[in-house]
Each structure stands twice: as C-alpha cells, then as structure tokens.
Amino acid sequence: MKKTILSKVKKLTSLLLIGLMLTSVFTGCTTTKADSSNKKTVYRTLKEIKKSGKINIGVFSDKSPFGYVDKNGKYAGYDVYFANRIAKDLGVDANFVSVEAANRIEYLQTGKVDIILANFTVTKERAEEVDFALPYMNVALGVVSPSNKVIKKLDQIGAKDEVIVISGTTAETYLTKNYPKIKLQKYDAYAEAKTAFENKNGVAWANDNTEVIAFAKENKGYTVGISSLGDNDTIAPAVTKGNKTLLKWLNDETKALGKESFFHKNYEKTLVDTYGADYEEILVVEGGKVK
Amino acid sequence: MDKDILVSYIPLYKNALLLTLKIGWQGIGLSMIIGLAGAAVLHFKVKVIKNIVGIYVELFRNTPLLVQLFFIYFALPKIGVNISAEICGMLGIGLLGGAYMIETFRSGLETIPVMQSESALSLGLDKRQTFLYVILPQAFSAVVPGLTANIIFLLKETSVFSTISLMDLMFTAKDLIGMYAKTIECLFLLVVFYFIMILPVSIIGMIVERKTRYAEFGD
C-alpha cells in the first residue's frame, strides 16, 4: 500500500514539474512573440483609431479632481477634460477605461487602451516602457499628515512609523530608492489609501503634491508638511511604445491647444475649486512647454 | 525573460511567501477551531446557538472575502475598532474558512449512520465516548478530502490581501510590476511561488486521506 502512495506522489510531482517546465517554455515563447509583435499589432495607429470611431483612454476613476466619476456617473476632471477634447478633435467617441496606478503601463503594452491619461508622471524607467507625449502639467511629491502631528521633514518619521503610499506611483519609487529605511504601507488604489489614512493607519501619506494638497484642502485636520519633495516632474499622456502616428498627433494637438490657452481653461473648469487661482501657473503646462 | 531579474526578485517573493503562509495558516487554524465547534453545535442541535451558527455560515459563505476584509479593515475603525492588517487578514481567512469548515465537518458527521451510535450506546459507552471514539474518527476520514480542498481554497484566497496593504505574493508581484514594469518575470515568479506554496498541501492531503481511510476500509 505504502509503495503505491509513494509512487503516486512521485508520479504526480514529476507530472507537475513537467507542467512547470512547459509553463516556463511557454512564457519564454510569449516574451519573444511579444517583442516581435509589439512593433506591429499591439497598438492601433491613428488611422485605425479614426476608422473604428472610438478611442480607448485609460483614466483614473477615483482621483479627484484629475480623473474621477462624478455624481451623475460620468467621468470628469482635469485629465478627462483633456481626453474629451482629444476625442472631439479626432472626430471619434471617447471610451474611458478605469485604470490603477500600478497597471497603467500594462494597459498600454497589451493594447487595451490607446492613450493613458491617468496623471502619469514622466520618469526614466517608465519612458523605457511607453512613449510619453508633450507634458500638460507640473508635479512634484508631497507629504500630508494630521495637523496635530505635522511631518515637515522625512527624518521626523520614526523607525516604527509607517508612511502610506500607493503602489506603482512615483512617491513609492522615490521613497524606496532614497529612503529605504522608511516603512511603507502600500495600497493598490487611491480610495483605499485615503480611507486607511483617515483611519490613522499611517503617520503620513506621500503622493503627488497635487493630490496631497487637494486632500488637505478637502479634509479638515490635515496639513501638507512637505509640499515639494524630490525632482520637479511633469505629467504627460502616454502611448504604447512605438505608436509614432498617435504620438505625433498628440504632440501637435498639445501645441495647437496652447495657442488657445486650453489648459488654463481646463484648470479654471476643473481644478480651481480645489486649488484656487494661486496654483494655476505652478501646475499648468501650456503647449507642452515647461517654464 | 531576464535571469538576473528573476534571481534579484526571489528574496522579495520569499518574504511574501513567508508572510502569506504565516497569515494563511493562522487563519486556517482559526477556521478549523471555528469549524469543529460549529459542527459540534449543529450535530448536537444546541438550541439558539444552532441558529446563530446557521446565520454565521450563510453570511460568510455568501459574501466575498474581499468585502469581508474591507469591512473589517476599513469600516470597523470608523466605529473605533482598530485592527492591524495582519490580524485582519487572519480574521478574514479564519471567519470565511470557519463557515466552510463547519459545513465540511457537519457533512462528515452526518455520513456516520445512526446505527453506529445506537450500537455504541447499547454496548455501554456514554454519549461523550461514543462521539470521541466512534463517530469522530470515522467522520474525520470522510472529511479529509473536503478539508484539503478548503485549505487550498483558503490559501488561494490570500491573493486579495493587497486591498488591506499586506505584502502577500499577489501584491508583491503587482507592486514590482508597477515600479519596474518587468511584467513577465514577475508573473512567472508569482505562478511558481503559489505552486510551491500549495503543492505540498495537495500531496499531504492525499497521503492523509489514504492513511485515515483505514478507519473505514482497513488496509
């Protein structure tokens, strides 16, 4: 009896090992396939988008006031305002796809969206994976904390304290790289990070400064102790690596929109309620030109 | 796939595996305790408590773990109950698993014909002895396949831990993809590590099932 069990186990394990090997071969194959097909089939060219009559744009659905779903169930915000204009000027319908911070690159690489307009900060690492168009917004990192225990410097954070970040954001990468000793509490969506911060699960929340300023303005009892951390970055639309026709069109569009001060108008429509007029010149990038 | 990247990610995955195993097994332990106690309550038809157990089972079997975790982790602090993420994960697995375990154990107890306990009682064993020495051993052998399936199910359910900021295997993979965009390497390691985590359970389950079936069939 014992023998049969043992041999069964052996058989099963070897079968599973073979399966595992096959998986690795399979994944190996898909890599090469993806590499070669990336350049041809994954993304849709400008012509194909126009022909289909619909453009898929990845936006946030929970990051007010940039990309969120309003009371009527419609997408709204600074990013969405721009996205709607893009669709209008292309003469197609905009189909919004809700994305999370950590999967924005994947959505482009698998061709599930044509453009990511989800407050996507331009970084070197990301530029290796996707193509960024001209920027439309400035951004840096910021840290918000409860007003009764404001964190003004990162070395105020104790060894046991945890800082809330959202997985896949520049804040996470920056802190991981430059302050590996700070304990991070990671969430995969904005809504969850916000709730956790409100529940006092962490001593501070590090994110894009636009986001933490908005949070402190909307919620009483919170102060942005650090309003600019790390490099000054820009936010830009991104397309699948190699999608030259769409990239060129986006760049031309951004330049053309600069002539009519489109992004200032966008700010006044979508962001002024949150940030007031003071931040307009700081945040807005017009015509793709950073001052 | 890049071998160097795979190797450099392994320590992170190992940590995630250990955390997943720790919380997963604590939860599974809790679920077995709940399961045994609940099944005993149902078996002996304890008044009132029986109904409470029934409600508990239906409530937790008919809501997703994700919702339960959300409730424990995000809603309870609003009314002043603060639970750490690890305990929350353990409770989530334990409570969800408990509901399934109760059903599994109860069905195991029901497989034993009434004649058995009647015979035991007529031979002079008391109620407690009958339950412990006659019913339970036989019921256990009938339960093993269901138990194994439950454990595997619960270990897989840990993949929703990312929502409460626990760096389990799934979240580690998602997080690394978000930061460095090495999708294929990360997902490959994810499959391998889940496999490493769950394969032993299947094998041990099979062996235990064989061994305990002796109670039913003999060798």
Side-chain angles (χ1 to χ4, degrees):
Chain A
M1 200 74 209
K2 261 185 191 165
K3 258 189 188 167
T4 43
I5 300 170
L6 261 182
S7 62
K8 254 195 178 175
V9 172
K10 265 188 197 164
K11 246 189 210 165
L12 192 69
T13 342
S14 53
L15 261 178
L16 291 169
L17 278 177
I18 290 168
L20 201 62
M21 271 150 70
L22 280 177
T23 339
S24 62
V25 171
F26 170 72
T27 37
C29 284
T30 43
T31 345
T32 46
K33 216 178 165 188
D35 282 345
S36 58
S37 61
N38 248 350
K39 281 152 204 147
K40 286 170 200 159
T41 50
V42 169
Y43 58 78
R44 303 194 301 162
T45 59
L46 188 62
K47 249 189 200 167
E48 285 165 336
I49 294 168
K50 278 185 175 167
K51 209 177 160 196
S52 78
K54 196 180 80 177
I55 185 163
N56 302 315
I57 303 180
V59 293
F60 280 127
S61 57
D62 57 356
K63 195 185 176 186
S64 164
F66 299 99
Y68 63 99
V69 177
D70 68 11
K71 282 175 204 155
N72 308 319
K74 277 195 170 172
Y75 280 94
Y78 187 77
D79 294 345
V80 175
Y81 192 85
F82 182 28
N84 278 324
R85 180 62 189 256
I86 288 172
K88 193 187 144 204
D89 289 350
L90 272 172
V92 296
D93 291 330
N95 173 39
F96 292 117
V97 179
S98 168
V99 297
E100 278 175 8
N103 60 25
R104 287 177 291 194
I105 290 174
E106 267 61 45
Y107 266 94
L108 285 176
Q109 285 182 337
T110 51
K112 288 191 175 71
V113 298
D114 301 307
I115 305 175
I116 283 284
L117 260 176
N119 237 249
F120 209 16
T121 307
V122 182
T123 67
K124 243 196 250 162
E125 289 87 355
R126 287 171 180 170
E128 281 172 20
E129 308 292 335
V130 301
D131 281 339
F132 284 105
L134 289 172
Y136 61 96
M137 210 176 106
N138 285 312
V139 75
L141 300 179
V143 180
V144 61
S145 39
S147 300
N148 54 7
K149 246 187 122 184
V150 182
I151 290 190
K152 290 188 172 161
K153 277 181 179 173
L154 283 178
D155 44 16
Q156 263 174 273
I157 296 164
K160 278 190 179 170
D161 296 340
E162 291 191 0
V163 174
I164 292 173
V165 294
I166 293 159
S167 173
T169 57
T170 38
E172 182 195 19
T173 320
Y174 178 80
L175 290 176
T176 310
K177 242 191 224 164
N178 299 299
Y179 295 88
K181 277 189 186 155
I182 294 180
K183 264 196 202 164
L184 300 179
Q185 195 180 105
K186 301 176 183 182
Y187 290 90
D188 51 10
Y190 279 89
E192 288 151 26
K194 267 181 195 168
T195 317
F197 185 50
E198 282 165 9
N199 288 346
K200 307 263 184 290
N201 284 350
V203 293
W205 180 17
N207 206 349
D208 291 354
N209 58 359
T210 49
E211 184 64 13
V212 294
I213 292 166
F215 180 86
K217 290 217 171 195
E218 281 163 8
N219 298 276
K220 272 186 185 167
Y222 296 97
T223 307
V224 177
I226 306 173
S227 62
S228 185
L229 182 71
D231 307 324
N232 281 317
D233 291 320
T234 55
I235 282 174
V239 299
T240 313
K241 193 109 198 138
N243 195 352
K244 282 189 192 127
T245 50
L246 184 58
L247 186 69
K248 185 175 177 297
W249 186 89
L250 270 176
N251 286 341
D252 293 345
E253 171 82 354
T254 309
K255 281 181 205 158
L257 290 175
K259 284 177 193 142
E260 51 171 286
S261 307
F262 172 80
F263 290 102
H264 282 85
K265 275 179 208 150
N266 187 353
Y267 183 97
E268 280 145 28
K269 273 255 163 74
T270 57
L271 298 185
V272 83
D273 288 345
T274 312
Y275 298 106
D278 299 348
Y279 285 96
E280 185 159 343
E281 288 311 313
I282 299 169
L283 289 181
V284 171
V285 174
E286 196 69 77
K289 275 182 218 146
V290 185
K291 279 167 204 164
Chain B
M1 264 195 289
D2 191 329
K3 256 191 199 157
D4 297 335
I5 291 174
L6 281 182
V7 173
S8 67
Y9 284 174
I10 285 177
L12 286 169
Y13 275 81
K14 201 191 86 197
N15 289 344
L17 176 74
L18 292 178
L19 181 84
T20 312
L21 278 176
K22 186 180 132 205
I23 300 172
W25 279 102
Q26 282 173 347
I28 288 165
L30 177 68
S31 76
M32 290 215 232
I33 295 169
I34 296 175
L36 275 176
V41 166
L42 292 181
H43 182 72
F44 290 113
K45 301 198 170 66
V46 186
K47 275 178 198 162
V48 188
I49 305 178
K50 181 186 77 180
N51 299 328
I52 297 172
V53 171
I55 293 169
Y56 159 75
V57 169
E58 292 312 323
L59 186 65
F60 278 83
R61 287 215 311 176
N62 295 311
T63 49
L65 178 61
L66 189 64
V67 172
Q68 295 163 14
L69 287 178
F70 249 89
F71 189 81
I72 301 174
Y73 191 71
F74 291 114
L76 287 186
K78 303 271 183 210
I79 53 165
V81 186
N82 265 305
I83 300 170
S84 79
E86 286 197 14
I87 306 250
C88 172
M90 188 201 81
L91 275 179
I93 293 286
L95 289 173
L96 172 77
Y100 279 87
M101 294 290 186
I102 287 175
E103 284 299 290
T104 308
F105 287 137
R106 187 189 55 83
S107 66
L109 290 173
E110 276 177 8
T111 57
I112 314 304
V114 191
M115 193 186 69
Q116 293 250 359
S117 50
E118 285 169 357
S119 313
L121 289 171
S122 70
L123 284 171
L125 275 72
D126 64 24
K127 260 193 164 179
R128 191 185 64 93
Q129 286 170 324
T130 310
F131 186 70
L132 282 182
Y133 305 125
V134 179
I135 309 288
L136 213 53
Q138 298 185 72
F140 183 70
S141 81
V143 155
V144 171
L147 195 64
T148 313
N150 279 355
I151 292 175
I152 292 174
F153 157 72
L154 290 173
L155 283 176
K156 286 196 265 195
E157 281 292 296
T158 57
S159 58
V160 302
F161 278 174
S162 64
T163 187
I164 55 167
S165 87
L166 279 175
M167 293 306 286
D168 74 313
L169 282 172
M170 186 68 208
F171 198 15
T172 302
K174 277 209 288 190
D175 193 43
L176 286 171
I177 291 173
M179 277 202 282
Y180 309 111
K182 303 290 174 214
T183 313
I184 295 190
E185 286 84 354
C186 285
L187 292 182
F188 174 72
L189 281 175
L190 184 64
V191 173
V192 172
F193 270 80
Y194 266 114
F195 194 68
I196 294 173
M197 178 165 81
I198 295 175
L199 180 66
V201 179
S202 307
I203 293 174
I204 292 169
M206 210 166 70
I207 295 171
V208 173
E209 190 187 338
R210 266 281 153 212
K211 292 263 174 205
T212 52
R213 281 280 158 121
Y214 294 167
E216 272 175 60
F217 312 123
D219 193 355

